[in-house]
Amino acid sequence: MATAVEDQRAASLLDAQDKAIQLFDEIERDLIRPGISEKELSDAIHELGTKRHGVRTHWHKRVVRSGPNTLKPFAENLTDRIIQPDDILYVDLGPVFEQWEADFGRTYVLGDDPVKTKLRDALEPTWDKVKARFDQNPDITGEELYAIACEEAELAGWQFGAELAGHLIGSFPHERIPRDKISLYVSKGNGDKINSLGKDGHKRHWILEIHLHDKETGIGGFYEKLLTVT
């Protein structure tokens, strides 16, 4: 029975992610364009998600960042910016589908700037390399996985641009510790094993995030998806 429950939980998270992928495909096809502001794009994403996909809740704020704003921490509330014809931007959403959280992020390049394109195209391969190293040793801690993410970013020729490389995901709302940005995150200081059980006795599931920065050119990129469910 326990195995069946865990299988169902994993399947629900994967289904939520699949629905998020469909949403992102429509965002790229129908909404992303130069000449609109980050806020306008965020509002259009909200409307699209509500009307086409029935999304009523996001478990974290919608994040749309472009140009130099891609280097800023997620927690910062930035001055709105107009998306340019040769821009780089990323979208990070946390939609809830049937009480299961998704967390999905993608980076887009408008135009053909080679550095921006190179950074965007490095994100998924870097994620794959970190995932492969996790699969080789799933008993590693959050701190160890964060170090691997930083190492792989540097090996790819970029800087890792955030203080965390992932977090828990689950049924809404997932397990949290107020004002604690270490214990349930892929970050320095988290000595707990990634594959440990949650307080509810269920297997914990995680999102792996890749943040690549090129501070010389003032751009960054972002990519995230489920780490522990495939």
Side-chain angles (χ1 to χ4, degrees):
M1 179 63 72
T3 301
V5 170
E6 295 296 355
D7 288 347
Q8 183 57 54
R9 287 169 55 81
S12 296
L13 284 170
L14 191 59
D15 179 66
Q17 177 167 276
D18 289 343
K19 291 174 179 175
I21 292 171
Q22 295 175 24
L23 174 59
F24 269 73
D25 287 344
E26 294 176 24
I27 290 168
E28 181 176 18
R29 184 188 69 211
D30 299 338
L31 300 182
I32 293 177
R33 63 191 186 277
I36 63 172
S37 73
E38 294 168 339
K39 183 179 185 306
E40 288 172 330
L41 178 55
S42 177
D43 290 344
I45 288 170
H46 176 70
E47 183 178 2
L48 184 151
T50 300
K51 289 184 176 180
R52 296 188 190 174
H53 298 271
V55 176
R56 296 290 185 271
T57 303
H58 289 257
W59 70 267
H60 70 69
K61 71 177 183 178
R62 298 184 307 279
V63 180
V64 176
R65 298 280 172 84
S66 64
N69 286 350
T70 57
L71 295 179
K72 302 298 184 181
F74 282 14
E76 285 192 25
N77 293 313
L78 305 177
T79 301
D80 199 14
R81 181 180 181 276
I82 301 297
I83 297 169
Q84 301 300 308
D86 63 346
D87 237 332
I88 186 169
L89 68 146
Y90 68 74
V91 177
D92 173 20
L93 302 178
V96 177
F97 296 99
E98 298 175 4
Q99 297 305 306
W100 288 93
E101 300 168 344
D103 199 16
F104 206 71
R106 287 293 181 271
T107 296
Y108 306 95
V109 173
L110 304 180
D112 56 4
D113 182 279
V115 176
K116 293 171 183 172
T117 300
K118 183 179 179 181
L119 188 150
R120 179 201 64 194
D121 292 347
L123 287 159
E124 185 173 4
T126 302
W127 191 99
D128 289 341
K129 289 178 180 178
V130 178
K131 161 72 168 169
R133 291 178 65 177
F134 168 75
D135 288 343
Q136 292 170 359
N137 183 16
D139 284 331
I140 61 175
T141 66
E143 183 171 53
E144 290 168 335
L145 186 57
Y146 178 78
I148 289 171
C150 293
E151 180 181 335
E152 291 295 341
E154 292 178 4
L155 289 172
W158 312 96
Q159 300 94 40
F160 194 85
E163 294 183 352
L164 59 89
H167 54 79
L168 285 184
I169 195 80
S171 57
F172 178 75
H174 67 254
E175 180 182 351
R176 296 186 185 185
I177 301 175
R179 296 177 297 280
D180 184 340
K181 291 294 185 180
I182 295 177
S183 300
L184 304 180
Y185 293 83
V186 179
S187 63
K188 290 182 180 179
N190 182 6
D192 293 336
K193 293 181 179 180
I194 291 293
N195 68 355
S196 62
L197 299 179
K199 289 184 177 180
D200 59 3
H202 291 298
K203 173 181 171 60
R204 283 175 171 163
H205 287 292
W206 295 80
I207 293 289
L208 173 62
E209 302 180 356
I210 297 298
H211 305 253
L212 298 183
H213 284 185
D214 183 355
K215 294 183 180 178
E216 290 185 6
T217 57
I219 60 171
F222 175 66
Y223 183 97
E224 68 173 346
K225 62 180 179 179
L226 284 165
L227 171 68
T228 49
V229 182
T230 56

